Amino acid sequence: MSNKFPVDRALFDDVMVPNYAPSAVIPVRGEGSRVWDQNDNELIDFAGGIAVNCLGHCHPALVNALKEQGEKIWHLSNVMTNEPALRLAKKLVGSTFAEKVYFANSGAESNEAALKLARRWALDVHGADKTQIIAFKQGFHGRTFFTVTVGGQAAYSDGFGPKPGDVVHAEYNNLESVKELISDKTCAVMMEPLQGEGGIVAPTAEFVKGVRELCDENNALLIFDEVQTGVGRLGELYGYMGLDVTPDILTTAKALGGGFPIGAMLTTTEIAKHLKIGTHGSTYGGNPLACAVGEAALDTVNTPEVLNGVKEKAEIYVEGLNAINAKYNVFKEIRGKGLLIGAVLNDDYQGRAKDFLVAAMAEGVMTLVAGASIVRFAPSLVIPNEDITEGLARFEKAVAKIAQ
Ligand SMILES: *Cc1c(COP(=O)(O)O)cnc(C)c1O
Protein backbone atom coordinates (compact mmCIF):
# COMPACT_ATOMS: atom_id res chain seq x y z
CA MET A 1 0.00 0.00 0.00
CA SER A 2 2.90 2.30 0.71
CA ASN A 3 4.46 4.05 -2.27
CA LYS A 4 7.82 4.23 -0.49
CA PHE A 5 10.72 3.09 -2.67
CA PRO A 6 14.14 2.01 -1.46
CA VAL A 7 16.73 4.76 -1.04
CA ASP A 8 20.46 4.70 -0.42
CA ARG A 9 23.43 7.00 0.00
CA ALA A 10 24.08 7.12 -3.76
CA LEU A 11 20.76 8.90 -4.24
CA PHE A 12 22.13 11.81 -2.19
CA ASP A 13 24.54 12.70 -4.96
CA ASP A 14 21.73 12.51 -7.53
CA VAL A 15 19.10 14.67 -5.86
CA MET A 16 20.68 16.76 -3.10
CA VAL A 17 22.51 20.06 -3.35
CA PRO A 18 26.16 19.11 -2.75
CA ASN A 19 26.83 21.35 0.28
CA TYR A 20 27.16 18.34 2.63
CA ALA A 21 29.25 15.18 2.52
CA PRO A 22 27.23 12.72 4.63
CA SER A 23 28.63 9.38 5.73
CA ALA A 24 27.68 6.18 3.90
CA VAL A 25 25.67 5.03 6.92
CA ILE A 26 21.97 5.97 7.00
CA PRO A 27 20.46 5.51 10.46
CA VAL A 28 16.78 4.61 10.39
CA ARG A 29 15.80 4.39 14.06
CA GLY A 30 17.12 5.22 17.48
CA GLU A 31 16.44 4.54 21.11
CA GLY A 32 18.29 6.31 23.90
CA SER A 33 21.94 6.55 22.89
CA ARG A 34 21.83 3.75 20.32
CA VAL A 35 20.83 3.98 16.67
CA TRP A 36 20.43 1.35 13.94
CA ASP A 37 21.23 1.81 10.28
CA GLN A 38 19.48 0.48 7.17
CA ASN A 39 21.28 -2.87 7.56
CA ASP A 40 20.36 -3.06 11.25
CA ASN A 41 23.92 -2.38 12.38
CA GLU A 42 23.87 -0.81 15.83
CA LEU A 43 25.83 2.34 16.69
CA ILE A 44 26.42 4.16 19.96
CA ASP A 45 25.73 7.86 19.62
CA PHE A 46 28.41 10.16 21.07
CA ALA A 47 27.46 12.91 18.58
CA GLY A 48 23.91 13.69 19.64
CA GLY A 49 23.04 15.23 16.28
CA ILE A 50 25.67 17.92 17.03
CA ALA A 51 24.58 18.73 20.59
CA VAL A 52 20.89 18.55 19.70
CA ASN A 53 19.62 15.20 21.00
CA CYS A 54 20.03 16.15 24.66
CA LEU A 55 17.79 13.29 25.74
CA GLY A 56 18.96 10.75 23.19
CA HIS A 57 16.61 9.33 20.59
CA CYS A 58 12.86 8.92 21.04
CA HIS A 59 12.85 9.88 24.72
CA PRO A 60 9.36 8.98 26.01
CA ALA A 61 8.72 12.48 27.41
CA LEU A 62 9.41 14.04 24.00
CA VAL A 63 7.52 11.37 22.05
CA ASN A 64 4.49 11.87 24.32
CA ALA A 65 4.60 15.65 23.99
CA LEU A 66 4.80 15.40 20.20
CA LYS A 67 1.99 12.84 19.95
CA GLU A 68 -0.26 14.71 22.35
CA GLN A 69 0.19 18.05 20.65
CA GLY A 70 0.05 16.39 17.23
CA GLU A 71 -3.52 15.39 17.91
CA LYS A 72 -4.54 18.84 19.17
CA ILE A 73 -3.26 21.61 16.90
CA TRP A 74 -0.12 21.90 14.75
CA HIS A 75 0.09 25.44 13.53
CA LEU A 76 -1.65 28.77 13.88
CA SER A 77 0.74 31.52 12.70
CA ASN A 78 1.65 34.50 14.83
CA VAL A 79 -1.69 36.14 14.09
CA MET A 80 -2.68 34.12 17.15
CA THR A 81 -0.69 32.94 20.11
CA ASN A 82 -0.87 29.37 21.38
CA GLU A 83 -0.75 27.51 24.67
CA PRO A 84 2.52 25.58 24.22
CA ALA A 85 4.41 28.77 23.25
CA LEU A 86 3.10 30.62 26.28
CA ARG A 87 3.93 27.73 28.57
CA LEU A 88 7.48 27.34 27.26
CA ALA A 89 8.11 31.09 27.37
CA LYS A 90 6.90 31.22 30.98
CA LYS A 91 9.30 28.41 31.91
CA LEU A 92 12.28 29.98 30.11
CA VAL A 93 11.61 33.27 31.88
CA GLY A 94 11.18 31.44 35.19
CA SER A 95 14.50 29.65 34.93
CA THR A 96 16.80 32.36 33.50
CA PHE A 97 17.63 36.08 33.83
CA ALA A 98 15.21 36.81 30.99
CA GLU A 99 11.83 38.51 31.13
CA LYS A 100 10.84 38.20 27.46
CA VAL A 101 11.12 35.49 24.81
CA TYR A 102 11.08 35.50 21.00
CA PHE A 103 10.71 32.12 19.28
CA ALA A 104 12.50 31.10 16.10
CA ASN A 105 13.21 27.78 14.37
CA SER A 106 16.98 27.48 14.56
CA GLY A 107 20.13 28.83 16.11
CA ALA A 108 20.92 31.12 13.22
CA GLU A 109 17.44 32.60 13.27
CA SER A 110 17.62 33.19 17.01
CA ASN A 111 20.96 34.96 16.54
CA GLU A 112 19.61 36.94 13.59
CA ALA A 113 16.84 38.18 15.88
CA ALA A 114 19.35 39.02 18.63
CA LEU A 115 21.55 41.03 16.26
CA LYS A 116 18.62 42.88 14.72
CA LEU A 117 17.27 43.66 18.18
CA ALA A 118 20.67 44.96 19.30
CA ARG A 119 20.91 47.23 16.25
CA ARG A 120 17.36 48.52 16.76
CA TRP A 121 17.94 49.09 20.48
CA ALA A 122 21.11 51.06 19.73
CA LEU A 123 19.39 53.17 17.08
CA ASP A 124 16.44 53.96 19.34
CA VAL A 125 18.42 54.62 22.51
CA HIS A 126 21.77 55.99 21.30
CA GLY A 127 21.36 57.09 17.69
CA ALA A 128 22.42 56.04 14.20
CA ASP A 129 26.19 55.84 14.82
CA LYS A 130 26.13 52.99 17.32
CA THR A 131 26.21 50.05 14.94
CA GLN A 132 29.49 48.22 15.56
CA ILE A 133 29.22 44.55 16.42
CA ILE A 134 32.22 42.88 18.02
CA ALA A 135 32.44 39.11 17.77
CA PHE A 136 35.31 36.61 18.01
CA LYS A 137 37.64 34.84 15.67
CA GLN A 138 36.72 31.15 15.37
CA GLY A 139 33.25 31.96 16.74
CA PHE A 140 30.22 30.37 15.09
CA HIS A 141 26.73 31.84 15.04
CA GLY A 142 24.93 30.21 12.11
CA ARG A 143 24.71 30.44 8.34
CA THR A 144 22.37 33.33 7.53
CA PHE A 145 24.35 36.13 5.93
CA PHE A 146 24.31 38.33 9.03
CA THR A 147 25.16 35.53 11.45
CA VAL A 148 27.85 34.00 9.27
CA THR A 149 29.43 37.44 8.93
CA VAL A 150 29.42 37.83 12.70
CA GLY A 151 30.96 34.36 12.96
CA GLY A 152 34.74 34.41 13.03
CA GLN A 153 35.68 32.34 10.00
CA ALA A 154 35.90 34.33 6.78
CA ALA A 155 35.97 31.03 4.86
CA TYR A 156 32.27 30.61 5.70
CA SER A 157 31.20 34.18 4.86
CA ASP A 158 33.38 34.99 1.81
CA GLY A 159 32.13 34.45 -1.69
CA PHE A 160 28.58 35.75 -1.34
CA GLY A 161 29.06 39.40 -2.26
CA PRO A 162 28.92 42.40 0.06
CA LYS A 163 28.53 41.50 3.74
CA PRO A 164 26.46 43.24 6.38
CA GLY A 165 28.68 46.07 7.62
CA ASP A 166 30.36 47.18 10.83
CA VAL A 167 31.18 43.73 12.14
CA VAL A 168 34.67 43.24 13.62
CA HIS A 169 36.43 40.34 15.33
CA ALA A 170 38.51 40.21 18.48
CA GLU A 171 40.45 37.28 19.88
CA TYR A 172 38.69 34.94 22.28
CA ASN A 173 40.25 34.94 25.75
CA ASN A 174 42.17 38.10 24.91
CA LEU A 175 40.57 41.02 26.72
CA GLU A 176 43.08 43.50 25.33
CA SER A 177 41.90 42.71 21.80
CA VAL A 178 38.34 43.62 22.82
CA LYS A 179 39.55 46.79 24.53
CA GLU A 180 41.26 47.87 21.32
CA LEU A 181 38.02 47.63 19.33
CA ILE A 182 35.28 48.66 21.75
CA SER A 183 34.02 52.24 21.98
CA ASP A 184 30.80 54.17 22.41
CA LYS A 185 30.07 53.18 18.78
CA THR A 186 29.83 49.54 19.81
CA CYS A 187 26.27 48.26 19.70
CA ALA A 188 26.89 44.72 20.96
CA VAL A 189 29.49 42.09 21.73
CA MET A 190 28.40 38.60 20.66
CA MET A 191 30.13 35.53 22.08
CA GLU A 192 29.71 31.88 22.89
CA PRO A 193 30.27 31.07 26.58
CA LEU A 194 32.43 28.21 25.27
CA GLN A 195 33.41 28.12 21.63
CA GLY A 196 31.96 24.95 20.11
CA GLU A 197 32.56 24.77 16.36
CA GLY A 198 35.70 26.85 16.84
CA GLY A 199 37.47 24.07 18.76
CA ILE A 200 35.88 23.54 22.21
CA VAL A 201 37.57 26.55 23.75
CA ALA A 202 36.45 27.51 27.27
CA PRO A 203 36.78 31.15 28.31
CA THR A 204 38.56 32.18 31.47
CA ALA A 205 36.34 33.69 34.16
CA GLU A 206 38.36 36.94 34.04
CA PHE A 207 37.85 37.23 30.29
CA VAL A 208 34.07 36.89 30.48
CA LYS A 209 33.84 39.29 33.42
CA GLY A 210 36.12 41.71 31.60
CA VAL A 211 33.94 41.64 28.48
CA ARG A 212 30.85 42.30 30.61
CA GLU A 213 32.58 45.31 32.21
CA LEU A 214 33.71 46.69 28.86
CA CYS A 215 30.14 46.37 27.55
CA ASP A 216 28.83 48.26 30.58
CA GLU A 217 31.44 51.01 30.28
CA ASN A 218 30.60 51.50 26.59
CA ASN A 219 26.81 51.05 26.77
CA ALA A 220 27.02 47.98 24.56
CA LEU A 221 24.83 44.90 24.87
CA LEU A 222 26.37 41.53 25.70
CA ILE A 223 24.85 38.74 23.62
CA PHE A 224 25.55 35.15 24.64
CA ASP A 225 25.07 32.61 21.89
CA GLU A 226 24.11 29.53 23.90
CA VAL A 227 22.83 27.60 20.91
CA GLN A 228 25.35 24.82 21.58
CA THR A 229 26.05 25.33 25.30
CA GLY A 230 22.45 25.80 26.47
CA VAL A 231 19.91 23.43 27.98
CA GLY A 232 22.24 21.55 30.27
CA ARG A 233 25.15 20.79 27.94
CA LEU A 234 27.78 22.28 30.30
CA GLY A 235 26.16 20.99 33.49
CA GLU A 236 24.15 24.16 34.23
CA LEU A 237 20.88 24.96 32.50
CA TYR A 238 22.75 27.72 30.62
CA GLY A 239 26.48 28.29 30.42
CA TYR A 240 26.29 31.85 31.78
CA MET A 241 25.12 30.40 35.09
CA GLY A 242 28.51 28.84 35.65
CA LEU A 243 30.39 32.00 34.70
CA ASP A 244 28.95 34.49 37.17
CA VAL A 245 28.08 36.90 34.35
CA THR A 246 24.63 37.76 33.00
CA PRO A 247 24.19 38.66 29.33
CA ASP A 248 21.62 41.15 28.03
CA ILE A 249 20.45 38.81 25.30
CA LEU A 250 20.79 35.02 25.15
CA THR A 251 20.04 32.71 22.28
CA THR A 252 19.17 29.03 22.60
CA ALA A 253 18.27 26.35 20.04
CA LYS A 254 19.81 22.91 19.34
CA ALA A 255 19.03 21.00 22.59
CA LEU A 256 15.96 23.14 23.32
CA GLY A 257 13.90 20.91 21.06
CA GLY A 258 15.84 17.72 21.72
CA GLY A 259 15.67 17.03 17.96
CA PHE A 260 12.63 19.08 16.97
CA PRO A 261 13.53 22.39 15.29
CA ILE A 262 13.12 25.35 17.63
CA GLY A 263 15.14 28.34 18.74
CA ALA A 264 14.59 31.24 21.08
CA MET A 265 16.00 34.63 21.92
CA LEU A 266 15.76 35.67 25.57
CA THR A 267 16.17 39.19 26.90
CA THR A 268 14.90 41.79 29.36
CA THR A 269 11.68 43.78 29.06
CA GLU A 270 13.69 46.99 28.71
CA ILE A 271 15.57 45.75 25.67
CA ALA A 272 12.74 43.66 24.21
CA LYS A 273 10.48 46.69 23.85
CA HIS A 274 12.55 47.87 20.88
CA LEU A 275 11.33 44.96 18.80
CA LYS A 276 7.98 46.66 18.31
CA ILE A 277 5.00 45.29 16.41
CA GLY A 278 6.03 44.56 12.83
CA THR A 279 9.80 44.96 13.28
CA HIS A 280 10.62 41.24 13.06
CA GLY A 281 8.87 37.92 12.74
CA SER A 282 8.73 34.32 11.54
CA THR A 283 5.98 32.13 10.13
CA TYR A 284 6.88 29.10 12.17
CA GLY A 285 8.50 30.69 15.22
CA GLY A 286 6.57 29.62 18.31
CA ASN A 287 4.90 26.74 16.48
CA PRO A 288 2.78 24.66 18.91
CA LEU A 289 4.41 21.32 18.05
CA ALA A 290 7.91 22.71 18.52
CA CYS A 291 7.03 24.47 21.76
CA ALA A 292 5.27 21.42 23.21
CA VAL A 293 8.40 19.34 22.59
CA GLY A 294 10.59 22.18 23.87
CA GLU A 295 8.64 22.35 27.11
CA ALA A 296 9.07 18.62 27.65
CA ALA A 297 12.80 18.83 26.90
CA LEU A 298 13.32 21.78 29.23
CA ASP A 299 11.32 20.13 32.03
CA THR A 300 13.28 16.91 31.70
CA VAL A 301 16.73 18.51 31.54
CA ASN A 302 16.18 21.19 34.17
CA THR A 303 16.39 18.89 37.18
CA PRO A 304 19.26 18.39 39.64
CA GLU A 305 19.48 14.70 38.64
CA VAL A 306 20.08 15.39 34.96
CA LEU A 307 22.34 18.43 35.48
CA ASN A 308 24.46 16.69 38.12
CA GLY A 309 24.49 13.62 35.89
CA VAL A 310 26.15 15.70 33.17
CA LYS A 311 29.07 16.45 35.49
CA GLU A 312 29.40 12.81 36.54
CA LYS A 313 29.21 11.50 32.98
CA ALA A 314 31.75 14.10 31.87
CA GLU A 315 34.22 12.63 34.36
CA ILE A 316 33.73 9.15 32.92
CA TYR A 317 34.51 10.51 29.46
CA VAL A 318 37.58 12.44 30.54
CA GLU A 319 38.97 9.49 32.50
CA GLY A 320 38.23 7.11 29.64
CA LEU A 321 39.84 9.35 27.03
CA ASN A 322 42.90 9.88 29.22
CA ALA A 323 43.21 6.12 29.63
CA ILE A 324 43.05 5.64 25.85
CA ASN A 325 45.65 8.35 25.43
CA ALA A 326 47.96 6.73 27.99
CA LYS A 327 48.08 3.70 25.70
CA TYR A 328 48.22 5.29 22.27
CA ASN A 329 49.46 8.86 22.79
CA VAL A 330 47.30 10.58 20.18
CA PHE A 331 45.88 13.57 22.11
CA LYS A 332 47.67 16.57 23.49
CA GLU A 333 44.69 17.74 25.52
CA ILE A 334 41.19 16.68 26.59
CA ARG A 335 39.18 19.86 27.10
CA GLY A 336 35.72 21.37 27.28
CA LYS A 337 33.07 21.43 29.96
CA GLY A 338 30.23 19.10 30.89
CA LEU A 339 29.25 16.94 27.94
CA LEU A 340 30.87 19.14 25.31
CA ILE A 341 34.28 17.54 25.12
CA GLY A 342 37.16 18.01 22.71
CA ALA A 343 40.05 15.60 22.29
CA VAL A 344 42.81 17.65 20.66
CA LEU A 345 45.07 15.59 18.41
CA ASN A 346 48.78 15.95 19.03
CA ASP A 347 51.34 17.04 16.45
CA ASP A 348 51.63 13.59 14.87
CA TYR A 349 47.93 13.58 13.96
CA GLN A 350 47.26 17.21 12.94
CA GLY A 351 44.44 17.54 10.44
CA ARG A 352 43.25 13.95 10.93
CA ALA A 353 40.17 14.35 13.14
CA LYS A 354 37.95 13.17 10.29
CA ASP A 355 39.99 9.92 10.07
CA PHE A 356 39.20 9.25 13.74
CA LEU A 357 35.51 9.94 13.11
CA VAL A 358 35.41 7.56 10.16
CA ALA A 359 37.35 4.84 12.01
CA ALA A 360 35.07 5.23 15.05
CA MET A 361 31.98 4.87 12.87
CA ALA A 362 33.40 1.63 11.46
CA GLU A 363 33.75 0.35 15.06
CA GLY A 364 30.16 1.32 15.89
CA VAL A 365 30.40 4.70 17.61
CA MET A 366 29.33 8.08 16.23
CA THR A 367 31.57 11.04 17.08
CA LEU A 368 32.03 14.61 15.78
CA VAL A 369 34.90 16.84 14.85
CA ALA A 370 35.45 20.50 15.75
CA GLY A 371 37.84 21.70 13.07
CA ALA A 372 40.44 19.50 11.43
CA SER A 373 42.34 18.40 14.53
CA ILE A 374 39.81 17.95 17.32
CA VAL A 375 37.50 15.00 17.92
CA ARG A 376 34.34 16.26 19.60
CA PHE A 377 31.84 14.45 21.82
CA ALA A 378 28.36 15.87 22.47
CA PRO A 379 26.30 12.87 23.61
CA SER A 380 22.87 12.71 25.20
CA LEU A 381 22.86 14.28 28.66
CA VAL A 382 21.23 11.12 29.96
CA ILE A 383 23.40 8.57 28.15
CA PRO A 384 23.59 5.44 30.33
CA ASN A 385 27.04 4.97 31.89
CA GLU A 386 27.25 1.48 30.28
CA ASP A 387 26.83 3.10 26.87
CA ILE A 388 29.68 5.51 27.61
CA THR A 389 31.94 2.62 28.62
CA GLU A 390 30.97 0.49 25.62
CA GLY A 391 31.26 3.47 23.22
CA LEU A 392 34.70 4.35 24.57
CA ALA A 393 35.81 0.72 24.13
CA ARG A 394 34.74 0.95 20.48
CA PHE A 395 36.46 4.31 20.14
CA GLU A 396 39.64 2.80 21.57
CA LYS A 397 39.60 0.15 18.81
CA ALA A 398 39.38 2.95 16.24
CA VAL A 399 42.27 4.81 17.88
CA ALA A 400 44.33 1.59 17.95
CA LYS A 401 43.81 1.12 14.22
CA ILE A 402 44.93 4.64 13.41
CA ALA A 403 47.86 4.63 15.83
CA GLN A 404 49.35 1.27 14.74
C1 LIG B 1 24.90 25.28 15.73
C2 LIG B 1 25.16 26.67 16.16
C3 LIG B 1 24.48 27.76 15.57
C4 LIG B 1 23.59 27.59 14.36
O1 LIG B 1 22.42 26.91 14.66
P1 LIG B 1 21.48 26.43 13.44
O2 LIG B 1 20.33 25.80 14.14
O3 LIG B 1 22.30 25.50 12.62
O4 LIG B 1 21.11 27.64 12.68
C5 LIG B 1 24.69 29.01 16.08
N1 LIG B 1 25.51 29.22 17.13
C6 LIG B 1 26.17 28.21 17.72
C7 LIG B 1 27.05 28.50 18.89
C8 LIG B 1 26.03 26.91 17.25
O5 LIG B 1 26.72 25.91 17.81
Side-chain angles (χ1 to χ4, degrees), residues 20 49-52 105-111 139-144 147 190-198 224-229 251 253-254 261-263 340 376:
Y20 302 118
I50 316 190
V52 166
N105 310 292
S106 68
E109 276 185 36
S110 306
N111 286 332
F140 185 77
H141 302 295
R143 297 290 201 142
T144 65
T147 58
M190 182 174 232
M191 66 185 288
E192 297 161 84
L194 184 151
Q195 285 190 330
E197 302 303 308
F224 266 20
D225 176 347
E226 295 236 23
V227 169
Q228 187 154 166
T229 54
T251 57
K254 290 199 166 106
I262 184 171
L340 189 52
R376 173 172 37 159

Side-chain angles (χ1 to χ4, degrees), residues 53 61 112 116 124 360 383 402:
N53 302 322
E112 185 84 17
K116 284 179 71 179
D124 288 352
I383 183 172
I402 291 179

Side-chain angles (χ1 to χ4, degrees), residues 52-299:
V52 166
N53 302 322
C54 58
L55 296 169
H57 299 270
C58 295
H59 189 285
L62 304 191
V63 172
N64 283 341
L66 187 63
K67 279 189 180 163
E68 243 181 59
Q69 189 59 40
E71 289 172 350
K72 283 186 185 159
I73 198 157
W74 285 27
H75 183 75
L76 286 161
S77 92
N78 286 299
V79 173
M80 269 162 271
T81 188
N82 67 76
E83 291 186 356
L86 293 169
R87 295 176 58 84
L88 177 57
K90 173 86 180 156
K91 287 184 177 176
L92 286 168
V93 162
S95 45
T96 66
F97 75 94
E99 298 161 324
K100 292 286 190 284
V101 178
Y102 167 85
F103 285 119
N105 310 292
S106 68
E109 276 185 36
S110 306
N111 286 332
E112 185 84 17
L115 292 164
K116 284 179 71 179
L117 170 59
R119 283 273 178 87
R120 190 54 77 102
W121 164 86
L123 177 70
D124 288 352
V125 178
H126 297 281
D129 289 342
K130 198 174 174 67
T131 53
Q132 184 196 53
I133 291 166
I134 300 177
F136 293 92
K137 289 175 187 161
Q138 299 303 122
F140 185 77
H141 302 295
R143 297 290 201 142
T144 65
F145 207 11
F146 200 170
T147 58
V148 84
T149 302
V150 172
Q153 288 198 58
Y156 292 164
S157 55
D158 284 353
F160 300 102
K163 297 175 190 178
D166 215 4
V167 176
V168 294
H169 296 92
E171 272 164 37
Y172 203 70
N173 272 332
N174 179 345
L175 196 59
E176 278 307 310
S177 75
V178 183
K179 254 183 216 162
E180 277 169 26
L181 294 170
I182 203 164
S183 73
D184 60 359
K185 303 280 187 288
T186 305
C187 155
V189 175
M190 182 174 232
M191 66 185 288
E192 297 161 84
L194 184 151
Q195 285 190 330
E197 302 303 308
I200 317 296
V201 183
T204 65
E206 307 83 74
F207 174 65
V208 182
K209 277 194 189 139
V211 172
R212 174 72 273 182
E213 281 164 17
L214 287 173
C215 286
D216 292 341
E217 287 162 20
N218 292 279
N219 291 315
L221 299 180
L222 179 58
I223 305 172
F224 266 20
D225 176 347
E226 295 236 23
V227 169
Q228 187 154 166
T229 54
V231 195
R233 179 62 47 195
L234 305 187
E236 321 273 349
L237 185 63
Y238 284 98
Y240 83 87
M241 294 169 178
L243 287 169
D244 215 17
V245 155
T246 304
D248 300 297
I249 301 177
L250 179 153
T251 57
T252 177
K254 290 199 166 106
L256 182 59
F260 199 97
I262 184 171
M265 176 192 72
L266 280 53
T267 189
T268 62
T269 301
E270 196 52 34
I271 297 168
K273 72 181 186 202
H274 297 279
L275 223 48
K276 295 186 192 62
I277 292 172
T279 48
H280 192 55
S282 156
T283 294
Y284 277 119
N287 168 280
L289 281 175
C291 291
V293 178
E295 185 187 358
L298 189 70
D299 280 347

